[in-house]
Amino acid sequence: MKLQAILICIIWTLSFNAYALEIAKGQSIYMQFNETQKNPISNVLRKPILDAKVIKTLFGDNKDRVQFYNNVNTSDGMDKIFLKATTSKGLVFTPDQDQHYTLAQVWLADNDDYEAYLNATDTLREQLGANVVFKLKVDKAKGNEPDFIILVQWSELQNIAHYAKDETFLNNQHLFASGTTGFNWYQVAF
């Protein structure tokens, strides 16, 4: 009986972690940033293709989960609580349990300043093992949506905190501040 329970647990763990995000070129993906206990309807009506648990809010609004869906029924009005992005190229992402991830929502103010910030801090991100998994441009339907959703994979957990404290980031923080009107940053696990 004990061995059977262990096997069931292993099989459940493997099946739970064996999902991936796969989007074809030109296909839309829908994202929901929510507080699970306040908005459990998405779990009842549809199953996400990728489910990220927020481990820690690093900056911005507190959320519990970020769920990704490949379709949303627009006739029930539920599409209004989702962010939609359409990919210009295909995307495949399979979470690696040995890696660490951050997910950001970015609202742009001045694209030149934000791009200057990215260019100035690119070497730092490379040194810290930060790799952009995807950068999704959000369709602006309501007007208050972020411009981008960005998932970054980090080789070491401590490098996430080190990034925001590093001199290179601090010296270019003014570009980040003037190049964005809003920013939410989450450490997530899949």
Side-chain angles (χ1 to χ4, degrees):
M1 184 68 168
K2 191 174 185 178
L3 178 61
Q4 184 181 15
I6 291 171
L7 286 174
I8 289 171
C9 183
I10 290 171
I11 291 169
W12 181 81
T13 301
L14 289 174
S15 65
F16 182 74
N17 292 329
Y19 62 97
L21 180 65
E22 190 169 339
I23 311 165
K25 179 180 177 179
Q27 181 181 358
S28 294
I29 183 161
Y30 298 84
M31 298 152 281
Q32 183 180 23
F33 288 73
N34 62 17
E35 297 163 13
T36 308
Q37 60 274 52
K38 290 185 179 180
N39 192 6
I41 195 162
S42 62
N43 293 330
V44 173
L45 298 178
R46 55 189 63 82
K47 183 172 172 39
I49 56 174
L50 191 63
D51 191 356
K53 181 180 185 323
V54 174
I55 303 298
K56 183 178 183 181
T57 299
L58 301 167
F59 187 84
D61 299 333
N62 288 322
K63 301 293 179 189
D64 292 330
R65 302 199 99 62
V66 183
Q67 297 170 315
F68 296 81
Y69 300 87
N70 58 4
N71 60 42
V72 172
N73 182 359
T74 57
S75 66
D76 63 5
M78 290 299 295
D79 61 317
K80 291 178 179 43
I81 63 171
F82 292 89
L83 297 176
K84 178 184 173 188
T86 305
T87 60
S88 58
K89 57 183 180 181
L91 168 68
V92 176
F93 166 64
T94 303
D96 181 343
Q97 301 303 314
D98 295 327
Q99 296 294 316
H100 308 279
Y101 298 95
T102 57
L103 190 70
Q105 294 177 299
V106 181
W107 287 262
L108 295 178
D110 180 341
N111 219 354
D112 293 341
D113 283 357
Y114 184 71
E115 288 299 318
Y117 151 77
L118 288 177
N119 292 333
T121 56
D122 191 45
T123 302
L124 173 61
R125 285 189 301 280
E126 187 176 301
Q127 290 170 350
L128 296 176
N131 297 305
V132 174
V133 175
F134 62 72
K135 181 178 179 180
L136 299 172
K137 184 165 178 44
V138 177
D139 298 350
K140 295 285 209 169
K142 298 177 281 249
N144 61 344
E145 299 92 338
D147 292 283
F148 291 104
I149 304 295
I150 305 168
L151 180 67
V152 176
Q153 178 180 323
W154 299 79
S155 59
E156 301 290 331
L157 180 61
Q158 67 270 15
N159 290 352
I160 297 170
H162 182 72
Y163 179 75
K165 296 175 185 174
D166 191 273
E167 187 177 315
T168 303
F169 172 79
L170 295 174
N171 289 340
N172 292 285
Q173 189 173 13
H174 67 283
L175 292 171
F176 178 82
S178 62
T180 60
T181 60
F183 183 73
N184 292 326
W185 194 30
Y186 308 103
Q187 180 185 345
V188 296
F190 296 95

